[in-house]
Each structure stands twice: as C-alpha cells, then as structure tokens.
Amino acid sequence: MSQPRSDADRIRRRDLHDAAAGVAGPRLLPWTTPEGKPCYLSTNGRGYLSDLADSIETVQLSMGEEVLEYARSATAPGAQTQSATEYRWLARRLTEALSDALRVADSRGQRIPDPEEATEDA
C-alpha cells in the first residue's frame, strides 16, 4: 500500500494542477445530497471546502486500498472460507470503494484541461 501524501505535497500538487488547468468550472465534490444528487463547488481550488474535499477524497481512496487488500487476502487460494453474510459485507464495501474511486476520478478528470483547449490558449 502506498504512503499517504503529506499536506504540503498535496497542496503543491493541487497548485501545479490549478496553474496548468486554469481551474475553471464547478468541482464535483466527494459527497452527495441526502437524495443522492451530486454536489458541486464553485471554487478557484482554494479554501476550506476545497481542502475538506481533498481530505475526504484521500480518506476514501485509502479506505478503498484497505478494503481491496482485505478482499485479496479473503479470496486468496487457501484462505479461510467466509460465510455468505461476510462475503456480502465484503461485496458491499468493495462496491462503496469502487463508487468512491470512480467519483474521485470523475471529479479530477473534470479538472484536467482539454488538450485542444490548452493548445488554442497558447
């Protein structure tokens, strides 16, 4: 499992990304409304909510790595057989982790500048 990034490294990476991307448009946040609808933030990439979103994304991805590590050991050849309830629990956690990871990827992908737009601006 990879080491978590330090706050300084995370901020540096975000600053580099923001400078390259121009940070335009709303940011998809890593949480939803109680009805399950997406939440967006109009931001320049800085501020309390942006930092909170970055922290939550980091936690979500770290939790996903832990669940994946557990799933690998639980399903490895020779591993102790689990009950149906335990396998359902594992499937639910893996589903949640995949959902979180896809949301983070979508959010970060939306913030990457389109190569065609970048060359037009140059």
Side-chain angles (χ1 to χ4, degrees):
M1 186 162 61
S2 63
Q3 294 293 336
R5 291 189 170 96
S6 69
D7 285 341
D9 185 44
R10 183 179 51 78
I11 290 168
R12 183 184 63 76
R13 289 174 55 87
R14 186 182 65 216
D15 288 345
L16 289 171
H17 175 268
D18 290 349
V23 186
R27 174 186 178 167
L28 177 64
L29 295 173
W31 56 82
T32 60
T33 66
E35 297 80 29
K37 295 182 179 180
C39 292
Y40 292 90
L41 176 64
S42 178
T43 180
N44 64 356
R46 294 180 180 19
Y48 175 77
L49 285 178
S50 281
D51 290 344
L52 178 62
D54 289 343
S55 297
I56 289 173
E57 286 178 351
T58 300
V59 169
Q60 288 173 327
L61 294 175
S62 296
M63 289 173 64
E65 286 178 341
E66 290 177 21
V67 171
L68 180 59
E69 190 175 305
Y70 176 78
R72 283 183 175 143
S73 67
T75 59
Q80 180 180 349
T81 302
Q82 307 289 321
S83 70
T85 302
E86 291 169 320
Y87 282 124
R88 266 194 307 278
W89 178 90
L90 181 56
R92 296 276 313 217
R93 301 300 77 84
L94 286 168
T95 302
E96 291 167 356
L98 178 58
S99 178
D100 289 343
L102 290 173
R103 185 174 192 85
V104 169
D106 188 23
S107 176
R108 292 180 182 181
Q110 289 176 9
R111 291 180 273 158
I112 295 174
D114 184 6
E116 292 176 9
E117 290 177 13
T119 56
E120 290 173 8
D121 292 341

